[in-house]
Amino acid sequence: MSDLSKVAAPSRSLSSKKRRFYGSWIATAIALLALPYIFSSGGSLTTFSLIGTSIMFSLSYNILLGQTGMLSFGHAVYYGLGGFATIHGMNLIAGSKLPVPLPLVPLIGGITGLFFAAIFGWVPTRRSRTAFAMISLGVAELVASSSLILHSFFGGEAGISANRTKLLTVFDWNFGPQIQIYYLVAFWTLLAVVAMYALTRTPFGRMCNAVRDNPERVQFVGYDPHVIRFLAFCFAGFFAGIAGALTAINFEIANAAYLGSMQSGVVLMAAYIGGVRFFIGPIIGAIFVTYLLLVLSDLTAVWQLYFGLFFILVVMFAPGGITGLLMKHRPLVRAGTLFTVLRAYLVALVPTLTTIAGLILAIEIVAQHTLNAGEDPNTKAFGVRFNAASPLIWLLAVALVIGGFAVTRRTWRWVEKAWDEALIAAREKGFYA
Amino acid sequence: MLELIVISTLNGVLYGMLLFLMASGLTVIFSMLGVLNFAHASFYMLGAFFGFQISRWFGFWPALLVAPLLAGLIGAAVERYGLRHVHKNGHVAELLFTFGLAFVIEVVVEIIWGKSPVDYRVPRLLDFPAFTIFSTNYPAFKMFMLLVSVAIFLALLIALKKTRVGLIVQAALTHPHMVGHLGHNVDRIFMMVFAIGTALAALAGVIAGPALQTQSDMAELLGPILFVVVVVGGLGSLRGAFIASLLIGLVQTFAVAMNESLASIFGPLGPGITRPLLADIWNVTIAQIAPIIPYLLMIVILLFRPKGLLGTRES
């Protein structure tokens, strides 16, 4: 009898798990449908579309970095080529009146991404780790430089454009208004997210993880790590191509910046900041980074510096990204020992924020003096007005940084202690992860 | 034709030696720390801008000495307070740390010196033609660049092969733990090597700045080529890096000098091409594709030798 209950228990929890799993997907779909009714302004719809393509792009990047352990510096190549092919495809469809509606057009981008990933992927995926990273960078530079040479296809500096409303109209959706584009992006993003999640659950997805963790062992099992890396590269190229296609449809233009090193860098940073060890990480990273860049560029002229410094901080202190950081607290939450750590966090937050404020002030003063030399020293950054020429503000910045840093170090040591105690307490109760 | 060959060979060797000045530091750092310093070209750029600023205040000759020292100090700080800390987070984190650093350095340079090129001039002492061949004046400053790079190359060779310090560094390349057990401070060796590597890159920047363009995108332009050199030569192989530097320096310099395209070679024999994409390829000159030649070369070489010319290790 007791044996039976033991056998029966997991199956019940499994079915409830399944229900929760499918429930969360359906909830996501409903949330995506409802989103435009809550934030209905044109600007927020554009932002949502941007975030949607960014999520798909970041997740496709994570097939490489997170799932297969390949650090690529040239992922934007497949995104950009997908975008260019889509614009050409749209012009062709509109020009010769082919019966293809717009919702199917992103497939052009996907297939283009897949095609070029298959061509360019074979050589780099022979190697792993650092060598792969460098070769991917070389291939990216090759394509980016070629895009300026092959003028007729890439349109040079200006790029090429298309009109998305000239395609076959189905159900009266001509995809002129942004809301229709939003739904198109949301549909494809959800589809791609589901597909990429399913991919991680297949035997192939598991072999990718194995190649990431121990390629030698993979060879012993009878697989070729090169082939697995190559296939993962192709999948990543396919989804990146769809993301590029949606971006091209969204802006009705494709230019050389789509496949440049900046685009490759941003997707890398977004995925890493979100956290590459969890499937949801790049989604969070894409939302966070897209939003951060939009907000930050409004607040200050030197937003790129803050973004770069933030990325370095993440690499140094939170290598698991945002999700990694949150997941670290799971055993504490489950064991109920989180409270003391939270208290320590709150205390440490005050001097940390003080130091950061001092640093920002110092950066803004220097930026004011170099970027707008000889102009009015009264300036505004992050909504705060100050006079960059006054010695008082210099003193304030220096005092904030030095004083704040001294206190910050102490409080974080205290946080570490509280953390260790809470973790030990959680482990004693049997919660390890 | 002979003129083109002589001048291009000179320029190619010069460019190759400059590349090697940077690639050598990059290779030694990679061999020791296991991390390919993405920000290496950024230190080259820092060197050029430091050189520009210092030569404006005190003249070129102090800059030649002080700018690399400054960059080396920054490099040492980066290793001591950044990379060493990141090491425990794994290889990807290390590489990404230097990637973020490259990004930040570029932005900082843009903030301080602006996006347009600065007026970094050849010092007056060297501003004369060294010799004239086939009616082309070859500038003395370029000869000076060549001299400096060759001198550094020889000094590096002697230091690595003949001195005790070089011996320890060579040993630490392959057996860092053993060197540590023998009582050497491996951490400090790593920091010194990192500092010297970045200082060499900065030195390359100081002497290349006046001849090429000193601008905030120079790291972004040169960085990928530098990685091509290291990958083509074989990761971790100094000799490979040397050969690859010269190879890429020569190939690219010769390509820039050639104005032939497929259309001009075949002339009237060529098929009449009307499709725009094919016409683009048909009419492009070799000089125009010079920027992508290093990458093409990389792919071709890696197709036949996946580990690079003289590479022995996988990663």
Side-chain angles (χ1 to χ4, degrees), chain A residues 65 71 73 123 126-131 133-135 137-139 141-142 145-146 149-153 261-262 265 268-269 272 302 304-305 307-309 311-312 315-317 319 366-367 370-371, chain B residues 30 36 38 81-82 85-86 89 91-93 95-97 99-101 103-104 107-108 111-112 220 224 227 231 235 276-277 280-281 284 288-289 292 295-296 298-299 302-303 306-307 313-315:
Chain A
L65 181 57
L71 178 61
F73 285 109
V123 172
R126 273 199 198 169
R127 314 279 300 269
S128 60
R129 308 222 303 199
T130 310
M134 291 306 115
I135 300 166
L137 181 76
V139 171
E141 289 295 322
L142 179 70
S145 308
S146 305
I149 295 170
L150 300 175
H151 200 278
S152 54
F153 185 79
S261 55
M262 189 68 199
L268 190 173
M269 290 179 178
Y272 197 81
V302 290
Q304 284 170 309
L305 180 60
F307 183 53
L309 288 176
F311 177 69
I312 288 184
V315 173
M316 284 183 81
F317 298 108
V366 174
T370 54
L371 289 181
Chain B
F30 174 75
L36 204 58
F38 211 93
Y81 298 103
H85 187 88
V86 182
N89 298 346
H91 272 297
V92 170
L95 192 53
L96 287 183
F97 173 78
F99 174 72
L101 191 69
F103 185 78
V104 166
V107 179
V108 167
I111 290 175
I112 296 179
E220 209 186 315
F227 299 131
V231 171
L235 276 174
L277 186 63
D280 270 353
I281 298 173
V284 74
Q288 279 172 309
I289 62 163
I292 65 169
Y295 309 115
L296 286 176
M298 174 187 81
I299 290 174
L302 291 181
L303 263 179
K307 284 175 184 170
R313 40 202 267 185
E314 179 55 33
S315 196

Side-chain angles (χ1 to χ4, degrees), chain A residues 294-316:
Chain A
L294 281 175
V295 172
L296 214 55
S297 53
D298 279 344
L299 285 177
T300 163
V302 290
W303 58 274
Q304 284 170 309
L305 180 60
Y306 294 115
F307 183 53
L309 288 176
F310 176 70
F311 177 69
I312 288 184
L313 280 182
V314 170
V315 173
M316 284 183 81

Side-chain angles (χ1 to χ4, degrees), chain A residues 99-391:
Chain A
V100 183
L102 189 71
L104 290 181
V105 167
L107 270 182
I108 300 177
I111 290 164
T112 313
L114 176 68
F115 176 73
F116 283 102
I119 291 180
F120 294 138
W122 187 254
V123 172
T125 50
R126 273 199 198 169
R127 314 279 300 269
S128 60
R129 308 222 303 199
T130 310
F132 170 81
M134 291 306 115
I135 300 166
S136 72
L137 181 76
V139 171
E141 289 295 322
L142 179 70
V143 175
S145 308
S146 305
S147 75
L148 295 176
I149 295 170
L150 300 175
H151 200 278
S152 54
F153 185 79
F154 293 100
E157 296 273 340
I160 51 170
S161 55
N163 188 341
R164 65 188 179 214
T165 57
K166 293 276 188 265
L167 273 67
L168 181 74
T169 313
V170 190
F171 302 126
D172 272 350
W173 276 44
N174 67 355
F175 291 101
Q178 188 63 35
I179 182 140
Q180 295 180 359
I181 290 298
Y182 164 79
Y183 280 120
L184 180 72
V185 171
F187 167 75
W188 272 101
T189 304
L190 191 64
L191 198 68
V193 171
V194 170
M196 280 189 264
Y197 184 75
L199 187 68
T200 65
R201 313 298 285 179
T202 58
F204 167 71
R206 294 304 187 198
M207 282 323 287
C208 286
N209 295 162
V211 167
R212 172 192 68 198
D213 295 331
N214 194 341
E216 201 168 26
R217 185 86 179 80
V218 169
Q219 281 180 311
F220 279 120
V221 186
Y223 287 88
D224 186 354
H226 176 208
V227 173
I228 290 173
R229 278 197 290 262
F230 175 68
L231 288 177
F233 198 84
C234 292
F235 274 112
F238 176 69
F239 288 112
I242 298 180
L246 286 171
T247 311
I249 291 172
N250 190 11
F251 293 118
E252 296 184 300
I253 191 169
N255 55 38
Y258 275 42
L259 34 74
S261 55
M262 189 68 199
Q263 191 77 42
S264 295
V266 168
V267 68
L268 190 173
M269 290 179 178
Y272 197 81
I273 286 172
V276 294
R277 280 281 161 163
F278 298 93
F279 182 78
I280 201 170
I283 301 179
I284 292 175
I287 297 172
F288 179 76
V289 166
T290 311
Y291 191 69
L292 184 78
L293 291 185
L294 281 175
V295 172
L296 214 55
S297 53
D298 279 344
L299 285 177
T300 163
V302 290
W303 58 274
Q304 284 170 309
L305 180 60
Y306 294 115
F307 183 53
L309 288 176
F310 176 70
F311 177 69
I312 288 184
L313 280 182
V314 170
V315 173
M316 284 183 81
F317 298 108
I322 296 172
T323 38
L325 209 58
L326 292 177
M327 289 308 254
K328 250 170 95 175
H329 293 79
R330 208 160 76 153
L332 305 192
V333 174
R334 292 166 84 187
T337 56
L338 186 69
F339 181 70
T340 49
V341 180
L342 279 186
R343 207 175 48 193
Y345 278 156
L346 273 180
V347 174
L349 204 61
V350 178
T352 309
L353 287 181
T354 314
T355 316
I356 292 174
L359 270 178
I360 290 177
L361 189 57
I363 291 173
E364 288 298 335
I365 294 171
V366 174
Q368 173 65 18
H369 276 278
T370 54
L371 289 181
N372 310 322
E375 285 175 31
D376 181 20
N378 286 302
T379 179
K380 188 177 143 187
F382 293 95
V384 182
R385 297 192 170 279
F386 61 93
N387 182 352
S390 103

